[in-house]
Amino acid sequence: MSVTELVYQKCIRPDCGHTLSHDDTSFACPKCNGLMDVLYDWDRLPVPKSLKEFEKAWQTRSNPLDFSGVWRFRKLLPFVPDEKILTIGEGQTLLQKADFIGKRIGMDAGSLFLQYEGMNPSGSFKDNGMTAAFSHARMTGARRAACASTGNTSASLAIYCSATSQMKGIVFVGSGKISYGKLAQALDHGALTIQIEGDFDDAMHQVQQMAKRLGVYLVNSINPFRLEGQKTIMFRVLESLNWEVPDWIVVPGGNLGNSSAFGKAFLELKALGLVNRLPRLAIINAAGADTCFQLFNHDGLRWQGGCWDKTIVDRYYRQLDESKRRADTLASAIEINRPVNLPKALRALDAMDGVVRQTTDQEILDAKAMVGAGGLGCEPASAASVAGLIQLRQEGVIAPSDRVVCILTAHQMKDSAATVAYHGSDPKTFEEVLGVRGVRRANFANRPVQVSNDLEAIVRSIEIYS
Ligand code: F0G
């Protein structure tokens, strides 16, 4: 029996439960327009007896599928035959102990870890999902792939498209919203780049219509096969912790794909008897793009066994439209007001006893500078996780002894304008780049020193400042 006969898609709403075959690429329930899950017939698939079994793949790293930090866990995402998998060595990531930050925020030594996804081929966590989406796309014979993006998804799509050399990539970005580092990647890897007049939410709406009309394979996280790949971020966290479940996972929330994937990963591990408990989940929104925070904390939106109240969400979006409120944050990667995976994130919050917080651009940039000083470079959106952790420590929700993993979603070089403005000594640049968004102080600035072209002056400066 082939693997694909044991895989299908199912609408996440239990009161609908419509199913589709594994090779359907509409990525929406035809009955209720809800989100789809990838499900497996675990009774007939080979399930590992314990997570430790995955350590065997370390000995066979010359096989690219065992080298990949995604596919060495392929028994837990068995939707694709090995020969269709497209890997470019994604997922070579590290879980780094972060006592440098932990100490500053009153955590016990050895309890804070940063999962650094900036080491992926395109520099962000997206590659975990993109390798899965492209492997599925190849199974279905797709010739073109598209996404809307704040920049990282498009960079990742572009790199995987160029690696297949058979598929054309099409990316939709909001005009003026994308950082140069990310735009450069889409252009350099040859994706057709469409800058639409509007923001990410507009681009997301348009790309879905376009994909349907032209039959283009969509790789946004509404594609449930992409989320299968993102589950492996959690598998690698567990692997690094010697298969012990941490107390907390803290993750930035944008389109809520990661949060959704993490919830599914742990629900499946629990159902398969591979873990005995779930960590708690903290989703961190930017204050200027805080739909999940508002709906969860103020409007009381909950999963409710899958029967979440859509009228609450519709009312919230109506209010956004009426007040013409647009997402607005320096953490451009998570500048999203209409997260497509909201229902799946509600499921994850329910299963993982989750919380949602929002954090200001000032807090995000200060947290980013702390991360940088501690030895890891991340982009602003990534640091939302650490800014959120600081808040949850101050509230006492996270205890000093809790074992916490913050996800650092992307590399520092992705978006350097804000970093340079933050650390720079030029008040005009600071005001122009950061002040407009309410950032007033660079609390952890490492200012460049201006010095004349003269050895004596240079030596004097070094003696003063070092
Ligand atoms: N961090 C970074 C660096 C991101 O690029 C994104 C999303 C997120 C966090 C949020 O993750 O959507 O799973 O909640 N970026 C998307 C993009 C939207 O188009 O690159 P999420």
Side-chain angles (χ1 to χ4, degrees):
M1 177 160 312
S2 87
V3 152
T4 49
E5 286 169 53
L6 308 170
V7 184
Y8 59 105
Q9 299 180 62
K10 187 171 183 190
C11 175
I12 67 165
R13 274 196 91 108
D15 57 354
C16 173
H18 193 78
T19 57
L20 292 173
S21 79
H22 74 276
D23 57 356
D24 191 288
T25 58
S26 50
F27 306 141
C29 175
K31 227 169 114 193
C32 72
N33 204 31
L35 297 170
M36 304 300 286
D37 261 337
V38 179
L39 293 186
Y40 305 98
D41 185 348
W42 293 114
D43 291 336
R44 294 194 292 159
L45 279 161
V47 177
K49 289 199 174 46
S50 91
L51 287 171
K52 246 182 138 29
E53 266 186 35
F54 289 107
E55 293 174 12
K56 278 192 219 135
W58 300 345
Q59 264 97 58
T60 45
R61 285 168 72 83
S62 55
N63 173 357
L65 300 190
D66 288 335
F67 177 76
S68 165
V70 171
W71 298 108
R72 70 171 175 266
F73 298 104
R74 56 194 178 282
K75 272 192 174 168
L76 295 175
L77 49 149
F79 67 83
V80 56
D82 284 5
E83 65 277 9
K84 288 286 180 195
I85 290 176
L86 176 68
T87 174
I88 54 170
E90 56 288 319
Q92 306 306 315
T93 58
L94 266 185
L95 185 73
Q96 309 255 15
K97 208 189 278 174
D99 285 345
F100 175 81
I101 297 173
K103 221 160 126 192
R104 297 184 89 120
I105 61 173
M107 295 190 66
D108 295 348
S111 50
L112 175 60
F113 297 85
L114 302 176
Q115 171 66 16
Y116 187 52
E117 291 292 321
M119 289 163 77
N120 274 293
S122 80
S124 88
F125 77 88
K126 302 285 180 183
D127 299 343
N128 294 283
M130 212 53 76
T131 182
F134 270 82
S135 299
H136 183 251
R138 292 214 306 189
M139 282 170 73
T140 64
R143 309 298 299 172
R144 290 184 291 189
C147 71
S149 184
T150 54
N152 282 323
T153 306
S154 48
S156 185
L157 172 150
I159 206 170
Y160 278 87
C161 250
S162 52
T164 64
S165 68
Q166 288 156 356
M167 284 175 71
K168 181 71 188 169
I170 307 166
V171 306
F172 282 37
V173 294
S175 48
K177 290 286 182 183
I178 184 171
S179 78
Y180 261 36
K182 300 174 191 177
L183 180 60
Q185 289 179 288
L187 298 175
D188 215 27
H189 294 299
L192 170 62
T193 304
I194 302 193
Q195 289 192 287
I196 69 157
E197 280 174 34
D199 62 11
F200 173 83
D201 295 317
D202 299 316
M204 187 70 228
H205 176 73
Q206 296 294 359
V207 80
Q208 284 177 266
Q209 308 307 310
M210 181 282 291
K212 208 182 290 171
R213 168 108 60 107
L214 299 182
V216 175
Y217 188 92
L218 191 64
V219 300
N220 278 106
S221 51
I222 200 164
N223 175 338
F225 293 92
R226 212 190 93 184
L227 297 188
E228 289 302 286
Q230 286 171 220
K231 291 190 311 192
T232 65
I233 300 171
M234 291 300 101
F235 303 156
R236 294 198 302 277
V237 164
L238 291 174
E239 182 181 51
S240 303
L241 293 175
N242 219 1
W243 310 112
E244 281 174 29
V245 177
D247 297 309
W248 284 92
I249 301 291
V250 189
V251 63
N255 228 358
L256 300 175
N258 261 343
S259 328
S260 303
F262 298 173
K264 185 170 190 278
F266 276 107
L267 280 167
E268 285 176 348
L269 290 180
K270 184 88 192 322
L272 295 172
L274 294 169
V275 296
N276 52 17
R277 70 181 181 99
L278 272 55
R280 294 189 69 187
L281 177 69
I283 299 176
I284 314 299
N285 275 161
D290 62 349
T291 294
C292 186
F293 172 82
Q294 294 295 346
L295 289 173
F296 191 78
N297 292 312
H298 293 152
D299 296 348
L301 184 68
R302 290 294 182 276
W303 172 239
Q304 289 184 316
C307 299
W308 54 280
D309 188 347
K310 193 167 174 300
T311 60
I312 299 180
V313 182
D314 290 343
R315 188 178 61 216
Y316 183 80
Y317 288 162
R318 235 187 354 263
Q319 284 163 0
L320 283 184
D321 286 340
E322 279 162 15
S323 59
K324 295 196 167 45
R325 224 176 89 209
R326 291 283 174 166
D328 183 24
T329 168
L330 261 167
S332 60
I334 52 174
E335 194 174 55
I336 295 170
N337 261 351
R338 292 167 194 260
V340 295
N341 288 297
L342 180 66
K344 286 185 178 175
L346 292 175
R347 179 173 67 185
L349 286 163
D350 180 70
M352 297 171 76
D353 189 15
V355 298
V356 187
R357 293 292 182 271
Q358 48 139 289
T359 176
T360 63
D361 286 355
Q362 174 82 56
E363 290 162 339
I364 288 174
L365 287 192
D366 285 337
K368 186 178 115 51
M370 277 169 81
V371 171
L376 288 175
C378 70
E379 71 161 274
S382 308
S385 59
V386 175
L389 162 67
I390 294 171
Q391 210 179 101
L392 290 163
R393 270 291 303 125
Q394 282 163 354
E395 290 173 19
V397 174
I398 290 183
S401 60
D402 283 350
R403 229 172 180 204
V404 179
V405 175
C406 287
I407 313 298
L408 292 184
T409 44
H411 199 280
Q412 170 191 51
M413 304 303 284
K414 287 280 193 174
D415 188 357
S416 44
T419 309
V420 175
Y422 180 92
H423 289 292
S425 52
D426 180 358
K428 193 161 160 276
T429 315
F430 188 93
E431 194 48 42
E432 272 169 13
V433 179
L434 308 178
V436 284
R437 312 279 190 130
V439 178
R440 294 283 159 250
R441 296 171 307 281
N443 291 319
F444 300 96
N446 173 27
R447 300 206 184 289
V449 176
Q450 306 288 336
V451 61
S452 55
N453 185 13
D454 168 70
L455 183 61
E456 290 313 310
I458 292 169
V459 167
R460 249 194 330 275
S461 306
I462 289 172
E463 279 174 348
I464 294 169
Y465 291 108
S466 69

